[in-house]
mmCIF file of all heavy atoms in Angstrom:
data_model
loop_
_atom_site.group_PDB
_atom_site.id
_atom_site.type_symbol
_atom_site.label_atom_id
_atom_site.label_comp_id
_atom_site.label_asym_id
_atom_site.label_seq_id
_atom_site.Cartn_x
_atom_site.Cartn_y
_atom_site.Cartn_z
ATOM 1 N N CYS U 646 -39.822 -52.456 -70.648
ATOM 2 C CA CYS U 646 -40.593 -52.329 -69.419
ATOM 3 C C CYS U 646 -41.751 -53.302 -69.482
ATOM 4 O O CYS U 646 -42.630 -53.172 -70.340
ATOM 5 C CB CYS U 646 -41.105 -50.900 -69.253
ATOM 6 S SG CYS U 646 -42.224 -50.669 -67.853
ATOM 7 N N ALA U 647 -41.727 -54.257 -68.576
ATOM 8 C CA ALA U 647 -42.780 -55.265 -68.513
ATOM 9 C C ALA U 647 -43.695 -54.953 -67.349
ATOM 10 O O ALA U 647 -43.238 -54.784 -66.215
ATOM 11 C CB ALA U 647 -42.178 -56.647 -68.362
ATOM 12 N N ALA U 648 -44.992 -54.854 -67.640
ATOM 13 C CA ALA U 648 -45.985 -54.555 -66.617
ATOM 14 C C ALA U 648 -46.737 -55.818 -66.254
ATOM 15 O O ALA U 648 -47.212 -56.550 -67.131
ATOM 16 C CB ALA U 648 -46.960 -53.497 -67.126
ATOM 17 N N SER U 649 -46.843 -56.080 -64.977
ATOM 18 C CA SER U 649 -47.575 -57.262 -64.519
ATOM 19 C C SER U 649 -48.580 -56.839 -63.455
ATOM 20 O O SER U 649 -48.487 -55.762 -62.874
ATOM 21 C CB SER U 649 -46.607 -58.291 -63.957
ATOM 22 O OG SER U 649 -45.900 -57.763 -62.852
ATOM 23 N N GLY U 650 -49.520 -57.715 -63.185
ATOM 24 C CA GLY U 650 -50.497 -57.434 -62.139
ATOM 25 C C GLY U 650 -51.866 -57.080 -62.652
ATOM 26 O O GLY U 650 -52.755 -56.760 -61.876
ATOM 27 N N GLY U 651 -52.073 -57.120 -63.965
ATOM 28 C CA GLY U 651 -53.388 -56.828 -64.511
ATOM 29 C C GLY U 651 -53.677 -57.678 -65.730
ATOM 30 O O GLY U 651 -52.751 -58.084 -66.431
ATOM 31 N N THR U 652 -54.928 -57.922 -65.958
ATOM 32 C CA THR U 652 -55.326 -58.706 -67.132
ATOM 33 C C THR U 652 -55.841 -57.818 -68.239
ATOM 34 O O THR U 652 -56.346 -58.293 -69.236
ATOM 35 C CB THR U 652 -56.415 -59.720 -66.739
ATOM 36 O OG1 THR U 652 -57.539 -58.990 -66.199
ATOM 37 C CG2 THR U 652 -55.900 -60.702 -65.704
ATOM 38 N N PHE U 653 -55.738 -56.531 -68.064
ATOM 39 C CA PHE U 653 -56.218 -55.557 -69.027
ATOM 40 C C PHE U 653 -55.046 -54.978 -69.797
ATOM 41 O O PHE U 653 -53.887 -55.156 -69.432
ATOM 42 C CB PHE U 653 -56.949 -54.427 -68.292
ATOM 43 C CG PHE U 653 -56.187 -53.930 -67.085
ATOM 44 C CD1 PHE U 653 -55.168 -53.002 -67.225
ATOM 45 C CD2 PHE U 653 -56.471 -54.422 -65.821
ATOM 46 C CE1 PHE U 653 -54.446 -52.561 -66.127
ATOM 47 C CE2 PHE U 653 -55.769 -53.987 -64.723
ATOM 48 C CZ PHE U 653 -54.748 -53.055 -64.872
ATOM 49 N N SER U 654 -55.362 -54.280 -70.875
ATOM 50 C CA SER U 654 -54.345 -53.580 -71.660
ATOM 51 C C SER U 654 -54.287 -52.130 -71.184
ATOM 52 O O SER U 654 -55.319 -51.493 -70.975
ATOM 53 C CB SER U 654 -54.705 -53.637 -73.137
ATOM 54 O OG SER U 654 -53.725 -52.972 -73.919
ATOM 55 N N PHE U 655 -53.103 -51.612 -71.019
ATOM 56 C CA PHE U 655 -52.947 -50.244 -70.549
ATOM 57 C C PHE U 655 -53.279 -49.243 -71.653
ATOM 58 O O PHE U 655 -52.901 -49.429 -72.806
ATOM 59 C CB PHE U 655 -51.533 -50.015 -70.039
ATOM 60 C CG PHE U 655 -51.238 -50.789 -68.798
ATOM 61 C CD1 PHE U 655 -50.595 -52.016 -68.867
ATOM 62 C CD2 PHE U 655 -51.633 -50.317 -67.562
ATOM 63 C CE1 PHE U 655 -50.345 -52.755 -67.729
ATOM 64 C CE2 PHE U 655 -51.375 -51.041 -66.413
ATOM 65 C CZ PHE U 655 -50.735 -52.260 -66.500
ATOM 66 N N ASN U 656 -53.998 -48.180 -71.273
ATOM 67 C CA ASN U 656 -54.388 -47.177 -72.257
ATOM 68 C C ASN U 656 -53.174 -46.480 -72.857
ATOM 69 O O ASN U 656 -53.109 -46.244 -74.068
ATOM 70 C CB ASN U 656 -55.295 -46.130 -71.612
ATOM 71 C CG ASN U 656 -56.684 -46.682 -71.362
ATOM 72 O OD1 ASN U 656 -56.954 -47.853 -71.613
ATOM 73 N ND2 ASN U 656 -57.584 -45.838 -70.863
ATOM 74 N N VAL U 657 -52.235 -46.128 -72.001
ATOM 75 C CA VAL U 657 -51.039 -45.424 -72.449
ATOM 76 C C VAL U 657 -49.827 -46.053 -71.776
ATOM 77 O O VAL U 657 -49.871 -46.375 -70.580
ATOM 78 C CB VAL U 657 -51.072 -43.922 -72.097
ATOM 79 C CG1 VAL U 657 -49.840 -43.212 -72.653
ATOM 80 C CG2 VAL U 657 -52.338 -43.267 -72.609
ATOM 81 N N MET U 658 -48.774 -46.239 -72.531
ATOM 82 C CA MET U 658 -47.495 -46.701 -71.992
ATOM 83 C C MET U 658 -46.436 -45.720 -72.495
ATOM 84 O O MET U 658 -46.497 -45.288 -73.660
ATOM 85 C CB MET U 658 -47.175 -48.119 -72.454
ATOM 86 C CG MET U 658 -48.281 -49.117 -72.135
ATOM 87 S SD MET U 658 -47.872 -50.816 -72.613
ATOM 88 C CE MET U 658 -46.865 -51.327 -71.199
ATOM 89 N N GLY U 659 -45.508 -45.368 -71.625
ATOM 90 C CA GLY U 659 -44.545 -44.366 -72.051
ATOM 91 C C GLY U 659 -43.262 -44.378 -71.256
ATOM 92 O O GLY U 659 -43.101 -45.152 -70.302
ATOM 93 N N TRP U 660 -42.374 -43.525 -71.702
ATOM 94 C CA TRP U 660 -41.086 -43.352 -71.050
ATOM 95 C C TRP U 660 -40.871 -41.878 -70.733
ATOM 96 O O TRP U 660 -41.120 -41.012 -71.577
ATOM 97 C CB TRP U 660 -39.960 -43.844 -71.960
ATOM 98 C CG TRP U 660 -39.949 -45.319 -72.153
ATOM 99 C CD1 TRP U 660 -40.543 -46.026 -73.164
ATOM 100 C CD2 TRP U 660 -39.314 -46.283 -71.309
ATOM 101 N NE1 TRP U 660 -40.322 -47.365 -72.993
ATOM 102 C CE2 TRP U 660 -39.571 -47.551 -71.854
ATOM 103 C CE3 TRP U 660 -38.548 -46.202 -70.146
ATOM 104 C CZ2 TRP U 660 -39.098 -48.720 -71.287
ATOM 105 C CZ3 TRP U 660 -38.075 -47.364 -69.580
ATOM 106 C CH2 TRP U 660 -38.340 -48.595 -70.143
ATOM 107 N N TYR U 661 -40.401 -41.626 -69.522
ATOM 108 C CA TYR U 661 -39.996 -40.298 -69.085
ATOM 109 C C TYR U 661 -38.518 -40.366 -68.735
ATOM 110 O O TYR U 661 -37.971 -41.455 -68.550
ATOM 111 C CB TYR U 661 -40.795 -39.872 -67.846
ATOM 112 C CG TYR U 661 -42.241 -39.534 -68.115
ATOM 113 C CD1 TYR U 661 -43.160 -40.521 -68.452
ATOM 114 C CD2 TYR U 661 -42.691 -38.222 -68.028
ATOM 115 C CE1 TYR U 661 -44.486 -40.219 -68.699
ATOM 116 C CE2 TYR U 661 -44.021 -37.899 -68.259
ATOM 117 C CZ TYR U 661 -44.906 -38.898 -68.586
ATOM 118 O OH TYR U 661 -46.223 -38.585 -68.830
ATOM 119 N N ARG U 662 -37.896 -39.216 -68.625
ATOM 120 C CA ARG U 662 -36.508 -39.175 -68.176
ATOM 121 C C ARG U 662 -36.282 -37.973 -67.270
ATOM 122 O O ARG U 662 -36.985 -36.953 -67.386
ATOM 123 C CB ARG U 662 -35.538 -39.150 -69.345
ATOM 124 C CG ARG U 662 -35.573 -37.889 -70.185
ATOM 125 C CD ARG U 662 -34.654 -38.046 -71.397
ATOM 126 N NE ARG U 662 -34.665 -36.862 -72.257
ATOM 127 C CZ ARG U 662 -34.045 -36.798 -73.444
ATOM 128 N NH1 ARG U 662 -33.364 -37.858 -73.900
ATOM 129 N NH2 ARG U 662 -34.098 -35.689 -74.156
ATOM 130 N N GLN U 663 -35.314 -38.112 -66.402
ATOM 131 C CA GLN U 663 -34.963 -37.036 -65.508
ATOM 132 C C GLN U 663 -33.439 -36.951 -65.400
ATOM 133 O O GLN U 663 -32.794 -37.890 -64.930
ATOM 134 C CB GLN U 663 -35.576 -37.236 -64.116
ATOM 135 C CG GLN U 663 -35.378 -36.066 -63.189
ATOM 136 C CD GLN U 663 -36.243 -36.140 -61.952
ATOM 137 O OE1 GLN U 663 -36.747 -37.202 -61.587
ATOM 138 N NE2 GLN U 663 -36.454 -35.011 -61.289
ATOM 139 N N ALA U 664 -32.916 -35.844 -65.866
ATOM 140 C CA ALA U 664 -31.491 -35.589 -65.779
ATOM 141 C C ALA U 664 -31.206 -34.863 -64.473
ATOM 142 O O ALA U 664 -32.096 -34.219 -63.898
ATOM 143 C CB ALA U 664 -31.029 -34.751 -66.967
ATOM 144 N N PRO U 665 -29.973 -34.917 -63.976
ATOM 145 C CA PRO U 665 -29.631 -34.240 -62.716
ATOM 146 C C PRO U 665 -29.965 -32.750 -62.769
ATOM 147 O O PRO U 665 -29.609 -32.053 -63.720
ATOM 148 C CB PRO U 665 -28.123 -34.465 -62.600
ATOM 149 C CG PRO U 665 -27.873 -35.718 -63.356
ATOM 150 C CD PRO U 665 -28.834 -35.686 -64.507
ATOM 151 N N GLY U 666 -30.685 -32.284 -61.756
ATOM 152 C CA GLY U 666 -31.033 -30.880 -61.679
ATOM 153 C C GLY U 666 -32.162 -30.437 -62.584
ATOM 154 O O GLY U 666 -32.465 -29.244 -62.663
ATOM 155 N N LYS U 667 -32.785 -31.390 -63.271
ATOM 156 C CA LYS U 667 -33.862 -31.044 -64.186
ATOM 157 C C LYS U 667 -35.141 -31.760 -63.802
ATOM 158 O O LYS U 667 -35.129 -32.737 -63.056
ATOM 159 C CB LYS U 667 -33.475 -31.398 -65.624
ATOM 160 C CG LYS U 667 -32.321 -30.577 -66.173
ATOM 161 C CD LYS U 667 -32.115 -30.853 -67.647
ATOM 162 C CE LYS U 667 -31.006 -29.974 -68.211
ATOM 163 N NZ LYS U 667 -30.813 -30.215 -69.681
ATOM 164 N N GLN U 668 -36.251 -31.255 -64.325
ATOM 165 C CA GLN U 668 -37.540 -31.887 -64.075
ATOM 166 C C GLN U 668 -37.706 -33.129 -64.938
ATOM 167 O O GLN U 668 -37.106 -33.245 -66.013
ATOM 168 C CB GLN U 668 -38.674 -30.894 -64.365
ATOM 169 C CG GLN U 668 -38.787 -29.765 -63.356
ATOM 170 C CD GLN U 668 -40.040 -28.954 -63.557
ATOM 171 O OE1 GLN U 668 -40.556 -28.832 -64.672
ATOM 172 N NE2 GLN U 668 -40.568 -28.375 -62.486
ATOM 173 N N ARG U 669 -38.522 -34.030 -64.457
ATOM 174 C CA ARG U 669 -38.836 -35.216 -65.245
ATOM 175 C C ARG U 669 -39.642 -34.779 -66.475
ATOM 176 O O ARG U 669 -40.573 -33.965 -66.369
ATOM 177 C CB ARG U 669 -39.644 -36.210 -64.409
ATOM 178 C CG ARG U 669 -39.812 -37.567 -65.051
ATOM 179 C CD ARG U 669 -40.481 -38.547 -64.100
ATOM 180 N NE ARG U 669 -39.672 -38.788 -62.909
ATOM 181 C CZ ARG U 669 -39.951 -39.731 -62.011
ATOM 182 N NH1 ARG U 669 -41.013 -40.511 -62.171
ATOM 183 N NH2 ARG U 669 -39.186 -39.891 -60.951
ATOM 184 N N GLU U 670 -39.301 -35.334 -67.636
ATOM 185 C CA GLU U 670 -39.981 -34.962 -68.866
ATOM 186 C C GLU U 670 -40.405 -36.201 -69.645
ATOM 187 O O GLU U 670 -39.763 -37.254 -69.569
ATOM 188 C CB GLU U 670 -39.059 -34.102 -69.760
ATOM 189 C CG GLU U 670 -37.816 -34.817 -70.239
ATOM 190 C CD GLU U 670 -37.022 -34.032 -71.257
ATOM 191 O OE1 GLU U 670 -37.472 -32.970 -71.723
ATOM 192 O OE2 GLU U 670 -35.921 -34.506 -71.630
ATOM 193 N N LEU U 671 -41.479 -36.042 -70.402
ATOM 194 C CA LEU U 671 -41.945 -37.123 -71.270
ATOM 195 C C LEU U 671 -40.972 -37.276 -72.428
ATOM 196 O O LEU U 671 -40.629 -36.309 -73.093
ATOM 197 C CB LEU U 671 -43.334 -36.818 -71.797
ATOM 198 C CG LEU U 671 -43.891 -37.800 -72.824
ATOM 199 C CD1 LEU U 671 -44.147 -39.162 -72.196
ATOM 200 C CD2 LEU U 671 -45.166 -37.247 -73.447
ATOM 201 N N VAL U 672 -40.562 -38.506 -72.685
ATOM 202 C CA VAL U 672 -39.724 -38.808 -73.843
ATOM 203 C C VAL U 672 -40.578 -39.297 -75.000
ATOM 204 O O VAL U 672 -40.501 -38.787 -76.111
ATOM 205 C CB VAL U 672 -38.667 -39.868 -73.495
ATOM 206 C CG1 VAL U 672 -37.843 -40.229 -74.734
ATOM 207 C CG2 VAL U 672 -37.769 -39.381 -72.369
ATOM 208 N N ALA U 673 -41.418 -40.294 -74.721
ATOM 209 C CA ALA U 673 -42.264 -40.860 -75.758
ATOM 210 C C ALA U 673 -43.409 -41.623 -75.098
ATOM 211 O O ALA U 673 -43.261 -42.128 -73.988
ATOM 212 C CB ALA U 673 -41.474 -41.801 -76.670
ATOM 213 N N SER U 674 -44.520 -41.681 -75.810
ATOM 214 C CA SER U 674 -45.655 -42.445 -75.311
ATOM 215 C C SER U 674 -46.356 -43.121 -76.475
ATOM 216 O O SER U 674 -46.222 -42.702 -77.634
ATOM 217 C CB SER U 674 -46.631 -41.547 -74.555
ATOM 218 O OG SER U 674 -47.216 -40.592 -75.423
ATOM 219 N N ILE U 675 -47.120 -44.166 -76.146
ATOM 220 C CA ILE U 675 -47.855 -44.912 -77.161
ATOM 221 C C ILE U 675 -49.169 -45.361 -76.551
ATOM 222 O O ILE U 675 -49.207 -45.858 -75.422
ATOM 223 C CB ILE U 675 -47.020 -46.108 -77.679
ATOM 224 C CG1 ILE U 675 -47.748 -46.829 -78.810
ATOM 225 C CG2 ILE U 675 -46.627 -47.055 -76.553
ATOM 226 C CD1 ILE U 675 -46.846 -47.810 -79.569
ATOM 227 N N THR U 676 -50.246 -45.149 -77.281
ATOM 228 C CA THR U 676 -51.557 -45.524 -76.788
ATOM 229 C C THR U 676 -51.910 -46.951 -77.186
ATOM 230 O O THR U 676 -51.208 -47.581 -77.985
ATOM 231 C CB THR U 676 -52.633 -44.579 -77.324
ATOM 232 O OG1 THR U 676 -52.767 -44.815 -78.745
ATOM 233 C CG2 THR U 676 -52.270 -43.122 -77.084
ATOM 234 N N SER U 677 -53.030 -47.427 -76.673
ATOM 235 C CA SER U 677 -53.498 -48.756 -77.052
ATOM 236 C C SER U 677 -53.865 -48.808 -78.532
ATOM 237 O O SER U 677 -53.856 -49.872 -79.136
ATOM 238 C CB SER U 677 -54.684 -49.164 -76.190
ATOM 239 O OG SER U 677 -55.711 -48.206 -76.281
ATOM 240 N N GLY U 678 -54.153 -47.628 -79.101
ATOM 241 C CA GLY U 678 -54.437 -47.555 -80.529
ATOM 242 C C GLY U 678 -53.204 -47.312 -81.361
ATOM 243 O O GLY U 678 -53.290 -47.008 -82.557
ATOM 244 N N ILE U 679 -52.021 -47.433 -80.736
ATOM 245 C CA ILE U 679 -50.713 -47.314 -81.370
ATOM 246 C C ILE U 679 -50.464 -45.907 -81.908
ATOM 247 O O ILE U 679 -49.761 -45.713 -82.901
ATOM 248 C CB ILE U 679 -50.507 -48.376 -82.479
ATOM 249 C CG1 ILE U 679 -51.019 -49.732 -82.010
ATOM 250 C CG2 ILE U 679 -49.032 -48.530 -82.807
ATOM 251 C CD1 ILE U 679 -50.310 -50.264 -80.764
ATOM 252 N N THR U 680 -51.041 -44.916 -81.255
ATOM 253 C CA THR U 680 -50.682 -43.533 -81.558
ATOM 254 C C THR U 680 -49.468 -43.178 -80.718
ATOM 255 O O THR U 680 -49.458 -43.399 -79.507
ATOM 256 C CB THR U 680 -51.835 -42.585 -81.228
ATOM 257 O OG1 THR U 680 -52.952 -42.920 -82.052
ATOM 258 C CG2 THR U 680 -51.443 -41.138 -81.482
ATOM 259 N N THR U 681 -48.450 -42.634 -81.365
ATOM 260 C CA THR U 681 -47.214 -42.321 -80.656
ATOM 261 C C THR U 681 -46.987 -40.824 -80.554
ATOM 262 O O THR U 681 -47.483 -40.038 -81.371
ATOM 263 C CB THR U 681 -46.001 -42.961 -81.344
ATOM 264 O OG1 THR U 681 -45.931 -42.476 -82.697
ATOM 265 C CG2 THR U 681 -46.111 -44.469 -81.364
ATOM 266 N N LYS U 682 -46.243 -40.447 -79.545
ATOM 267 C CA LYS U 682 -45.874 -39.057 -79.347
ATOM 268 C C LYS U 682 -44.435 -39.023 -78.842
ATOM 269 O O LYS U 682 -44.043 -39.872 -78.036
ATOM 270 C CB LYS U 682 -46.803 -38.397 -78.322
ATOM 271 C CG LYS U 682 -46.509 -36.949 -78.045
ATOM 272 C CD LYS U 682 -47.639 -36.281 -77.265
ATOM 273 C CE LYS U 682 -47.839 -36.854 -75.900
ATOM 274 N NZ LYS U 682 -48.866 -36.120 -75.123
ATOM 275 N N TYR U 683 -43.657 -38.046 -79.334
ATOM 276 C CA TYR U 683 -42.264 -37.912 -78.956
ATOM 277 C C TYR U 683 -41.948 -36.472 -78.593
ATOM 278 O O TYR U 683 -42.482 -35.529 -79.192
ATOM 279 C CB TYR U 683 -41.339 -38.319 -80.105
ATOM 280 C CG TYR U 683 -41.448 -39.757 -80.547
ATOM 281 C CD1 TYR U 683 -42.338 -40.132 -81.548
ATOM 282 C CD2 TYR U 683 -40.662 -40.746 -79.953
ATOM 283 C CE1 TYR U 683 -42.449 -41.452 -81.949
ATOM 284 C CE2 TYR U 683 -40.756 -42.071 -80.359
ATOM 285 C CZ TYR U 683 -41.654 -42.412 -81.351
ATOM 286 O OH TYR U 683 -41.757 -43.723 -81.743
ATOM 287 N N THR U 684 -41.040 -36.300 -77.658
ATOM 288 C CA THR U 684 -40.534 -34.967 -77.404
ATOM 289 C C THR U 684 -39.590 -34.598 -78.550
ATOM 290 O O THR U 684 -38.921 -35.468 -79.119
ATOM 291 C CB THR U 684 -39.815 -34.898 -76.049
ATOM 292 O OG1 THR U 684 -39.466 -33.548 -75.757
ATOM 293 C CG2 THR U 684 -38.557 -35.747 -76.044
ATOM 294 N N ASP U 685 -39.555 -33.311 -78.913
ATOM 295 C CA ASP U 685 -38.818 -32.899 -80.100
ATOM 296 C C ASP U 685 -37.358 -33.356 -80.134
ATOM 297 O O ASP U 685 -36.871 -33.791 -81.189
ATOM 298 C CB ASP U 685 -38.896 -31.379 -80.254
ATOM 299 C CG ASP U 685 -40.240 -30.912 -80.764
ATOM 300 O OD1 ASP U 685 -41.012 -31.752 -81.265
ATOM 301 O OD2 ASP U 685 -40.530 -29.700 -80.663
ATOM 302 N N PRO U 686 -36.609 -33.281 -79.046
ATOM 303 C CA PRO U 686 -35.173 -33.641 -79.115
ATOM 304 C C PRO U 686 -34.892 -35.088 -79.511
ATOM 305 O O PRO U 686 -33.760 -35.406 -79.898
ATOM 306 C CB PRO U 686 -34.677 -33.352 -77.698
ATOM 307 C CG PRO U 686 -35.603 -32.335 -77.159
ATOM 308 C CD PRO U 686 -36.930 -32.699 -77.729
ATOM 309 N N VAL U 687 -35.879 -35.979 -79.407
ATOM 310 C CA VAL U 687 -35.618 -37.392 -79.714
ATOM 311 C C VAL U 687 -36.276 -37.829 -81.009
ATOM 312 O O VAL U 687 -36.070 -38.969 -81.448
ATOM 313 C CB VAL U 687 -36.065 -38.318 -78.562
ATOM 314 C CG1 VAL U 687 -35.500 -37.833 -77.236
ATOM 315 C CG2 VAL U 687 -37.575 -38.438 -78.484
ATOM 316 N N LYS U 688 -37.028 -36.955 -81.632
ATOM 317 C CA LYS U 688 -37.709 -37.332 -82.877
ATOM 318 C C LYS U 688 -36.689 -37.726 -83.932
ATOM 319 O O LYS U 688 -35.691 -37.044 -84.144
ATOM 320 C CB LYS U 688 -38.573 -36.172 -83.374
ATOM 321 C CG LYS U 688 -39.838 -35.957 -82.576
ATOM 322 C CD LYS U 688 -40.661 -34.796 -83.126
ATOM 323 C CE LYS U 688 -41.943 -34.611 -82.324
ATOM 324 N NZ LYS U 688 -42.729 -33.445 -82.785
ATOM 325 N N GLY U 689 -36.967 -38.840 -84.591
ATOM 326 C CA GLY U 689 -36.062 -39.339 -85.619
ATOM 327 C C GLY U 689 -34.944 -40.215 -85.072
ATOM 328 O O GLY U 689 -34.232 -40.864 -85.855
ATOM 329 N N ARG U 690 -34.775 -40.241 -83.757
ATOM 330 C CA ARG U 690 -33.715 -41.062 -83.155
ATOM 331 C C ARG U 690 -34.273 -42.175 -82.275
ATOM 332 O O ARG U 690 -33.702 -43.263 -82.193
ATOM 333 C CB ARG U 690 -32.786 -40.183 -82.308
ATOM 334 C CG ARG U 690 -32.090 -39.081 -83.078
ATOM 335 C CD ARG U 690 -31.039 -38.372 -82.229
ATOM 336 N NE ARG U 690 -31.614 -37.692 -81.083
ATOM 337 C CZ ARG U 690 -31.274 -37.946 -79.819
ATOM 338 N NH1 ARG U 690 -30.362 -38.869 -79.535
ATOM 339 N NH2 ARG U 690 -31.835 -37.266 -78.828
ATOM 340 N N PHE U 691 -35.373 -41.903 -81.593
ATOM 341 C CA PHE U 691 -35.975 -42.875 -80.687
ATOM 342 C C PHE U 691 -37.261 -43.427 -81.303
ATOM 343 O O PHE U 691 -37.985 -42.700 -81.991
ATOM 344 C CB PHE U 691 -36.322 -42.234 -79.356
ATOM 345 C CG PHE U 691 -35.144 -41.831 -78.502
ATOM 346 C CD1 PHE U 691 -33.842 -41.842 -78.994
ATOM 347 C CD2 PHE U 691 -35.343 -41.435 -77.185
ATOM 348 C CE1 PHE U 691 -32.765 -41.470 -78.205
ATOM 349 C CE2 PHE U 691 -34.283 -41.058 -76.376
ATOM 350 C CZ PHE U 691 -32.988 -41.071 -76.892
ATOM 351 N N THR U 692 -37.550 -44.685 -81.005
ATOM 352 C CA THR U 692 -38.787 -45.311 -81.449
ATOM 353 C C THR U 692 -39.409 -46.063 -80.293
ATOM 354 O O THR U 692 -38.756 -46.920 -79.679
ATOM 355 C CB THR U 692 -38.536 -46.280 -82.609
ATOM 356 O OG1 THR U 692 -37.914 -45.577 -83.705
ATOM 357 C CG2 THR U 692 -39.851 -46.883 -83.099
#
């Protein structure tokens, strides 16, 4: 995912997903300080 339109660094960048009939959920996020967070089902598989 490439973000354009700003000369600043984004505080948080992340990925969400939405399966049919389900709510959108956070998959993973990463801060400008490189702190990461993952939803439990993807831990160890997604980076």
